[in-house]
Amino acid sequence: MLISTALLDELIAHAREEYDAECCGLLAYGDGDGAGDGAGERRRAVRVRRASNVFASRKRFEIDGRELLAAINEFEQAGWEMGAIYHSHTHTAPYPSQTDINFAANWPGLEWVIVGLADDKPEVRCYLIEQGEVREVPLEVG
Ligand SMILES: [Zn+2]
């Protein structure tokens, strides 16, 4: 994923605001500068859409179903695709938990962005989780 500093800051700000619970939301991917070829490889985040964690928990999250549908509609109308699900880990490393891995089975092809707040300096990482296997993918800021 390729993300601008402004959008990355938005992710981190959301995670910090909801420090009592895991925050979650969706990222739309679009055709950044319309440069054409190769866009499939490096997908640019174009929109951060916050969502509610139905569990309001520090340990797990699930995106509110209606908000999810609204986001998908909004992205479609704008010509974007649903690219990633993001959430925060307030007290643990930004690595997918077993719960995350199980949940990811419902969302093949989506990237997983985790904002880790365990250290003073937030750490944001991006993964692909396929068939129970976690693979970190580059997160480029620019
Ligand atoms: Zn998690």
Side-chain angles (χ1 to χ4, degrees), residues 29 43 61 83-87 89 93-114 125-138:
Y29 286 179
R43 302 189 296 166
F61 81 97
I85 290 178
Y86 73 88
H87 72 290
H89 281 183
Y95 189 83
S97 65
Q98 189 57 50
T99 313
D100 295 336
I101 293 168
N102 297 344
F103 187 57
N106 301 318
W107 299 98
L110 284 194
E111 292 183 340
W112 282 68
V113 175
I114 303 180
R125 292 180 179 269
C126 187
Y127 305 89
L128 266 174
I129 305 173
E130 284 167 326
Q131 274 128 36
E133 253 174 66
V134 177
R135 183 158 58 92
E136 183 162 7
V137 295

Side-chain angles (χ1 to χ4, degrees), residues 11-128:
L11 277 184
I12 294 167
H14 184 199
R16 283 189 159 142
E17 276 171 42
E18 297 198 26
Y19 193 64
D20 284 338
E22 289 192 359
C23 79
C24 60
L26 303 154
L27 282 162
Y29 286 179
D31 197 15
D33 48 14
D37 283 357
E41 269 310 305
R42 236 172 34 155
R43 302 189 296 166
R44 174 176 275 282
V46 289
R47 167 103 161 92
V48 171
R49 196 182 202 284
R50 295 182 179 204
S52 307
N53 178 355
V54 294
F55 293 118
S57 156
R58 273 186 183 184
K59 299 243 165 72
R60 61 193 297 211
F61 81 97
E62 186 175 311
I63 294 171
D64 181 273
R66 262 174 298 182
E67 291 181 33
L68 185 61
L69 280 180
I72 291 170
N73 280 335
E74 181 196 310
F75 293 174
E76 258 175 24
Q77 277 174 14
W80 302 326
E81 64 172 303
M82 170 117 129
I85 290 178
Y86 73 88
H87 72 290
S88 60
H89 281 183
T90 57
H91 294 82
T92 54
Y95 189 83
S97 65
Q98 189 57 50
T99 313
D100 295 336
I101 293 168
N102 297 344
F103 187 57
N106 301 318
W107 299 98
L110 284 194
E111 292 183 340
W112 282 68
V113 175
I114 303 180
V115 184
L117 296 177
D119 292 328
D120 287 344
K121 195 172 176 296
E123 204 180 341
V124 184
R125 292 180 179 269
C126 187
Y127 305 89
L128 266 174

